[in-house]
Amino acid sequence: MSNIQFILTIAVCAAATMLTRFLPFLVFGSRGGKVPEVVEYLGRTLPAAMMGLLVVYCLKDVPESGHYGIPELIAILFIVALHKWKKSTLLSIGGGTVLYMVLVQTIFG
């Protein structure tokens, strides 16, 4: 890529990011800051739905793994316990990922 293409790419990315940040204020600003009920409903329900979707996606290949889902189950139980204890999403996801990778590469590898 040439320098002009790099600059244009960065400019387009910056403009798209700014648009996604400012768009809700532009759309809902004329309503006096009141967000429609459907948007509030989606804000309450979508995070849990996305977590469920990610869990299903991550566990879809368990029957073919050859370990009968044991490392996955251990990692899930560890994530739940760690999250109940520390209440930190980042720590829970990171710790569970590290534990799963260690299990798969050492014990179940």
Side-chain angles (χ1 to χ4, degrees):
M1 288 177 85
S2 69
N3 286 340
I4 302 249
Q5 289 174 325
F6 277 123
I7 292 170
L8 286 175
T9 302
I10 291 171
V12 167
C13 290
T17 301
M18 288 174 53
L19 178 67
T20 59
R21 299 292 187 242
F22 296 146
L23 192 61
F25 295 103
L26 295 173
V27 171
F28 300 128
S30 63
R31 301 173 56 101
K34 176 133 175 50
V35 178
E37 284 186 36
V38 68
V39 175
E40 288 182 6
Y41 170 76
L42 290 173
R44 286 190 309 269
T45 57
L46 281 181
M50 288 306 300
M51 285 295 129
L53 178 78
L54 288 171
V55 168
V56 169
Y57 177 77
C58 289
L59 296 177
K60 70 180 176 32
D61 294 326
V62 168
E64 292 109 24
S65 71
H67 304 296
Y68 307 105
I70 295 170
E72 289 86 356
L73 180 63
I74 293 170
I76 289 171
L77 292 174
F78 179 75
I79 290 169
V80 170
L82 189 59
H83 191 70
K84 290 279 187 187
W85 178 42
K86 288 292 187 179
K87 307 238 186 299
S88 171
T89 304
L90 186 61
L91 179 65
S92 302
I93 293 171
T97 302
V98 168
L99 176 65
Y100 177 74
M101 289 295 128
V102 168
L103 288 173
V104 171
Q105 295 297 321
T106 58
I107 299 170
F108 296 96

